[in-house]
Amino acid sequence: MIRIDEIWLATEPLDMRAGSDTALARVVQVYGSATVVDASAQSTKQPKRAPLPPELPRTLIHHEPESTQCNCGCQLKRVGEGVSEKLAYVPGEFTVERHIRGKWACAQCETLIQAPVPGTCSSH
């Protein structure tokens, strides 16, 4: 299987301007054969975790930077947030800890600041 980045390396920019048939002919000449594979279809095959059930009680935990003042002296502006959920168990009850980490940016120097990911404790 040949990936698109390998095709780019096998073809010169002049071949690409000449047309896709010329570029494909060059790939076949270099590699012997070519099969077109959609790269986006390959990445969707990765398993994803199912969301935690919405009926479980949630505890919101906000994580913000210590200061909203940039090193350049400007005031940072909130531009979004990152959210992660962790299943917690207290004997007899499941809960969800919803960690919300604010994203802050400086308009002048284009710095992005976000609170670090909280550590997890393990009983192992």
Side-chain angles (χ1 to χ4, degrees):
M1 180 182 331
I2 300 172
R3 295 180 14 202
I4 191 71
D5 55 347
E6 293 172 340
I7 292 173
W8 178 254
L9 292 174
T11 59
E12 296 180 19
L14 293 175
D15 291 337
M16 294 301 281
R17 280 187 243 132
S20 60
D21 293 337
T22 306
L24 186 58
R26 174 79 173 130
V27 169
V28 171
Q29 179 186 8
V30 171
Y31 290 102
S33 67
T35 304
V36 178
V37 177
D38 186 8
S40 63
Q42 287 181 338
S43 64
T44 59
K45 292 180 182 178
Q46 294 178 350
K48 294 186 178 182
R49 289 187 180 170
L52 295 171
E55 63 271 6
L56 290 177
R58 282 170 163 64
T59 304
L60 300 179
I61 304 170
H62 292 272
H63 303 278
E64 300 295 343
E66 292 179 11
S67 172
T68 58
Q69 179 108 10
C70 184
N71 292 336
C72 72
C74 294
Q75 184 66 32
L76 296 172
K77 180 182 176 187
R78 189 179 178 103
V79 293
E81 61 188 23
V83 178
S84 62
E85 292 187 331
K86 177 183 162 191
L87 185 63
Y89 179 72
V90 178
E93 181 181 22
F94 283 100
T95 60
V96 176
E97 293 177 353
R98 186 174 175 92
H99 294 269
I100 302 169
R101 299 171 45 228
K103 293 181 185 178
W104 296 77
C106 176
Q108 184 175 351
C109 66
E110 298 181 357
T111 300
L112 180 69
I113 297 175
Q114 188 173 23
V117 176
T120 58
C121 295
S122 178
S123 61
H124 298 294

